[in-house]
Amino acid sequence: VVENTSNETPLDPLPSWNEGKSKTAILSFIKSSTDTTSNNFVPVEDRIAVFDNDGTLWSEQPAYFQLFFAIDRIKAMASDHPEWKDQQPYKAVLEGDMKALMASGERGLIELVMTSHAGMTTDEFQQIVTDWIATAKHPRFDRPYNELVYQPMLELLDFLRANAFKTFIVSGGGVEFMRPWAEAVYGIPKDQIVGSSIKTKFEIKEGVPQITRLPEIDFIDDKSGKPVGIWKFIGRRPIFCGGNSDGDLQMMQYTASSKYKSMMLYVHHTDSVREWAYDRQSHIGQFDKGLDEAKAKGWNLVSMKDDWKSIYTFD
Amino acid sequence: VVENTSNETPLDPLPSWNEGKSKTAILSFIKSSTDTTSNNFVPVEDRIAVFDNDGTLWSEQPAYFQLFFAIDRIKAMASDHPEWKDQQPYKAVLEGDMKALMASGERGLIELVMTSHAGMTTDEFQQIVTDWIATAKHPRFDRPYNELVYQPMLELLDFLRANAFKTFIVSGGGVEFMRPWAEAVYGIPKDQIVGSSIKTKFEIKEGVPQITRLPEIDFIDDKSGKPVGIWKFIGRRPIFCGGNSDGDLQMMQYTASSKYKSMMLYVHHTDSVREWAYDRQSHIGQFDKGLDEAKAKGWNLVSMKDDWKSIYTFD
Ligand SMILES: [Ca+2]
Ligand SMILES: [Ca+2]
């Protein structure tokens, strides 16, 4: 917490959040969990905060950004793979059939990237993602995808870290798609980014030890996979969980079962003008069971329209 | 690095290390990788140090300490499992057949604990390990096992962290056997402890969200599994690697292939009086191919007898 020595108003750690229930709840949660005289005090090693990525830290419309990446990659590689013209799911990509692709979900996307990039080293793949994120542009905003991160959530991440929370991403997206750029954008180190993954193997290639990508799913970090991923990679129950969809419900439940007072924060996409408005009926980021449970249990529902002064860093 | 403002000798960050080649190499490596004017300067985010555990940070004789844990557990549970008397590997445990047990290696140990503790929640298992480490005693030293950690390595871990290195354990041992006590002993957070693991699932048990242990191996973090584990959990090549056996060779090779100047440090068990002396012929911590490659490539060989002033914290 930033403090002034004078009588001026203390600096606001969440300047992009409008005054209201959500902002008050965050400030009060962090105050009580870091105050040694509070009943809700949490020792530093247990201050674990987990965040979903798509739709929670950056946008996910009109399709998961990883889908645009996959499409660009399949198109770039198509000349070396004439057989893809008649092979699904490549055919759908090359014909621009977005509907079929979106129906395959995050697992389908990971499989698409996995099968097309099998045999490549992880170093090579990392470079491909780095190049793509530096050059590709979002269709609506005509800006790099990693500029479509939510300014209020960046402030929340910073505020948590300033209070000795350790921040993690726990996303259904591919871990190798996130790590090359997420560290710089969110201030979250690569080893604190958990995601879906493929199997790899170690081998010496032309004299250089390498990790090579295999065409086999290792772990799907979605729904009940999220608390499993939290246990596997983090090894303790979080006390703060941020998400936006039914895919985050199980990690919300897991966080809610902490022995400490914990905070469950759902980002609700309510702003059809500055971002997108969707919830129960959406096939991307469907928020239905999670919305019911958040209301029933009094979890924190953040309305992007009402709670956020600005959405993006460029607003 | 601790500095004095006077003309006194600066405080020694490695007081349990004798002056010599190993100590000089460590001091010089850390100096050059943290000096912004050096050609070997490494940015903070790339200062990743990985350490094997058994035989590198704590002893592993007369058998892996996890084996003593497994034996104690099987004996404690035997009255509820009369069928174990005639079933291997339980029969060997109950009859005290150490030779058969040791032949099964770290994988066999993990399977033994896995099958006997399937269906238990990870919270329950964590409590069992915590209770065991607090009460069990090492047969030779009659002290808790987690007092058999190497004082010189604790100093090295501290020294690395004081120079903004992020320290990780990358061990063939079970991650759930290490996490409950290793954080306090080594100053390494649970999420920076990588090890062999079993599969788990998320479920609501009597109203409480739990992670339950399943009788299936998820990942064996040994030999070529170690660099795979490093990529999976850390996401970048280390620049410092500590190990003691052939099981660490592949992660040494991976570390040696960093784009930065990296340091590979092998602990050689040469002290038959204060600890144990073993290498090429040992079935625990066999050090044969690794010893050859360390010599051929000029990696750092630490002789416990010659390089370490004291072995344990209680010496
Ligand atoms: Ca999401
Ligand atoms: Ca070892």
Side-chain angles (χ1 to χ4, degrees):
Chain A
V1 185
V2 182
E3 284 180 313
N4 282 8
T5 46
S6 69
N7 285 332
E8 295 169 50
T9 319
L11 285 178
D12 181 356
L14 302 172
S16 300
W17 292 71
N18 289 319
E19 299 307 318
K21 214 172 132 190
S22 293
K23 182 169 181 170
T24 303
I26 294 169
L27 294 172
S28 140
F29 172 76
I30 294 191
K31 190 167 194 283
S32 77
S33 54
T34 57
D35 174 359
T36 50
T37 67
S38 154
N39 283 334
N40 299 321
F41 175 75
V42 180
V44 166
E45 64 270 22
D46 281 319
R47 293 187 202 158
I48 300 294
V50 293
F51 288 85
D52 167 61
N53 185 39
D54 299 316
T56 299
L57 297 180
W58 73 350
S59 292
E60 59 183 351
Q61 299 285 0
Y64 294 126
F65 297 173
Q66 196 175 349
L67 176 59
F68 293 110
F69 168 72
I71 292 172
D72 286 349
R73 289 300 305 153
I74 297 299
K75 286 183 177 165
M77 298 169 83
S79 61
D80 291 333
H81 294 273
E83 74 279 10
W84 284 356
K85 276 203 305 274
D86 308 304
Q87 238 177 52
Q88 288 298 9
Y90 307 108
K91 190 168 178 283
V93 175
L94 296 172
E95 290 173 354
D97 184 354
M98 292 287 280
K99 209 176 155 192
L101 285 168
M102 286 200 276
S104 72
E106 285 192 293
R107 187 185 179 108
L109 277 183
I110 285 157
E111 284 176 335
L112 184 66
V113 175
M114 176 183 82
T115 52
S116 51
H117 292 74
M120 190 175 275
T121 69
T122 51
D123 284 353
E124 289 166 337
F125 188 75
Q126 187 167 257
Q127 192 56 53
I128 285 170
V129 175
T130 303
D131 293 345
W132 182 83
I133 206 86
T135 53
K137 299 271 177 71
H138 185 274
R140 171 174 165 190
F141 291 95
D142 196 33
R143 288 173 176 272
Y145 289 93
N146 58 1
E147 290 188 15
L148 271 72
V149 296
Y150 305 134
Q151 175 62 23
M153 296 304 277
L154 295 182
E155 293 167 7
L156 175 55
L157 288 169
D158 277 343
F159 185 42
L160 285 164
R161 288 190 292 255
N163 284 279
F165 278 70
K166 202 164 180 176
T167 53
F168 291 83
I169 290 175
V170 177
S171 165
V175 66
E176 301 215 33
F177 174 69
M178 293 184 285
R179 280 180 174 163
W181 55 268
E183 187 167 52
V185 171
Y186 300 130
I188 297 180
K190 287 180 178 178
D191 60 279
Q192 290 166 222
I193 299 175
V194 179
S196 296
S197 60
I198 54 155
K199 295 209 182 217
T200 62
K201 71 169 176 184
F202 175 77
E203 59 183 349
I204 313 260
K205 270 189 168 176
E206 294 166 11
V208 183
Q210 296 282 8
I211 309 291
T212 303
R213 295 169 59 88
L214 298 175
E216 195 184 340
I217 295 277
D218 181 39
F219 179 59
I220 296 294
D221 190 44
D222 198 23
K223 300 191 174 69
S224 63
K226 289 202 174 193
V228 167
I230 288 169
W231 183 259
K232 188 201 291 247
F233 286 83
I234 306 175
R236 47 181 21 121
R237 274 181 169 76
I239 63 162
F240 187 103
C241 179
N244 79 304
S245 81
D246 289 353
D248 304 313
L249 180 54
Q250 288 85 352
M251 76 167 170
M252 293 280 179
Q253 293 168 337
Y254 193 54
T255 305
S257 72
S258 170
K259 66 178 176 181
Y260 303 107
K261 187 176 185 328
S262 54
M263 180 162 191
M264 285 58 67
L265 184 148
Y266 256 128
V267 173
H268 194 180
H269 291 262
T270 50
D271 196 322
S272 61
V273 177
R274 296 183 300 171
E275 210 243 2
W276 287 268
Y278 58 96
D279 49 33
R280 295 186 190 273
Q281 307 301 323
S282 179
H283 55 278
I284 297 168
Q286 184 174 41
F287 187 34
D288 182 36
K289 287 196 184 103
L291 185 50
D292 287 339
E293 193 152 334
K295 286 179 175 172
K297 299 199 169 156
W299 295 345
N300 302 275
L301 269 175
V302 171
S303 164
M304 293 177 74
K305 184 168 186 282
D306 303 317
D307 285 323
W308 288 1
K309 212 169 283 176
S310 61
I311 305 273
Y312 301 119
T313 52
F314 54 82
D315 277 353
Chain B
V1 185
V2 181
E3 283 181 314
N4 283 6
T5 46
S6 69
N7 285 332
E8 295 168 48
T9 319
L11 286 179
D12 181 355
L14 301 173
S16 300
W17 291 71
N18 288 318
E19 300 306 318
K21 215 172 132 187
S22 293
K23 182 168 180 171
T24 303
I26 294 169
L27 294 172
S28 140
F29 172 75
I30 295 192
K31 189 166 195 285
S32 77
S33 53
T34 57
D35 174 359
T36 50
T37 67
S38 154
N39 284 334
N40 299 321
F41 175 75
V42 179
V44 166
E45 64 270 23
D46 281 319
R47 292 187 202 160
I48 300 294
V50 294
F51 288 85
D52 167 61
N53 185 38
D54 298 317
T56 298
L57 297 180
W58 73 350
S59 292
E60 59 184 349
Q61 297 286 0
Y64 294 125
F65 297 173
Q66 196 176 349
L67 176 59
F68 294 109
F69 169 73
I71 292 172
D72 287 349
R73 289 301 304 154
I74 297 299
K75 287 182 176 167
M77 298 169 84
S79 62
D80 292 334
H81 295 273
E83 73 281 9
W84 283 356
K85 277 202 305 273
D86 308 303
Q87 237 178 55
Q88 290 297 10
Y90 306 109
K91 189 169 180 284
V93 175
L94 296 172
E95 292 173 354
D97 184 353
M98 292 287 280
K99 208 175 153 191
L101 285 168
M102 287 200 274
S104 72
E106 284 191 296
R107 186 184 180 110
L109 277 183
I110 284 156
E111 283 175 337
L112 185 65
V113 175
M114 175 182 84
T115 52
S116 51
H117 293 73
M120 189 174 276
T121 70
T122 52
D123 283 354
E124 288 165 337
F125 188 76
Q126 187 168 259
Q127 191 56 53
I128 285 170
V129 175
T130 302
D131 293 344
W132 182 83
I133 206 88
T135 54
K137 298 273 177 71
H138 186 275
R140 172 174 164 190
F141 292 95
D142 195 33
R143 289 173 174 272
Y145 288 93
N146 58 2
E147 289 187 15
L148 271 72
V149 296
Y150 305 135
Q151 175 62 23
M153 296 304 275
L154 295 182
E155 292 168 7
L156 175 56
L157 288 170
D158 278 343
F159 186 40
L160 286 164
R161 288 190 290 255
N163 285 280
F165 278 72
K166 202 163 181 176
T167 53
F168 291 83
I169 290 175
V170 178
S171 166
V175 67
E176 300 214 35
F177 174 70
M178 293 184 284
R179 281 181 174 164
W181 54 268
E183 187 168 52
V185 171
Y186 300 132
I188 297 179
K190 287 181 178 179
D191 60 278
Q192 290 164 223
I193 299 176
V194 179
S196 295
S197 60
I198 54 155
K199 296 210 182 212
T200 63
K201 73 168 174 185
F202 175 78
E203 60 184 348
I204 314 260
K205 270 189 166 175
E206 294 164 11
V208 182
Q210 295 284 7
I211 308 291
T212 303
R213 294 169 60 89
L214 298 176
E216 195 184 340
I217 295 277
D218 182 41
F219 179 59
I220 295 294
D221 190 44
D222 198 23
K223 299 192 174 70
S224 63
K226 289 204 174 192
V228 166
I230 288 169
W231 184 259
K232 189 203 289 247
F233 285 83
I234 306 176
R236 44 179 28 118
R237 274 182 170 75
I239 63 162
F240 187 102
C241 180
N244 79 304
S245 81
D246 290 354
D248 305 312
L249 180 54
Q250 287 85 352
M251 76 166 169
M252 293 279 179
Q253 294 168 336
Y254 193 54
T255 305
S257 72
S258 169
K259 67 178 176 181
Y260 303 107
K261 187 176 185 330
S262 53
M263 181 162 190
M264 284 59 65
L265 183 149
Y266 256 128
V267 173
H268 193 180
H269 291 262
T270 51
D271 196 322
S272 62
V273 177
R274 297 182 300 171
E275 210 242 3
W276 286 269
Y278 57 96
D279 48 32
R280 296 186 191 273
Q281 306 301 323
S282 179
H283 56 279
I284 297 169
Q286 184 174 42
F287 187 34
D288 181 38
K289 288 197 185 104
L291 184 51
D292 288 338
E293 193 152 333
K295 286 179 175 172
K297 299 199 168 154
W299 295 346
N300 303 274
L301 269 174
V302 171
S303 165
M304 291 176 76
K305 183 167 188 281
D306 303 318
D307 286 323
W308 288 1
K309 210 169 284 176
S310 61
I311 305 274
Y312 301 120
T313 51
F314 55 81
D315 277 352

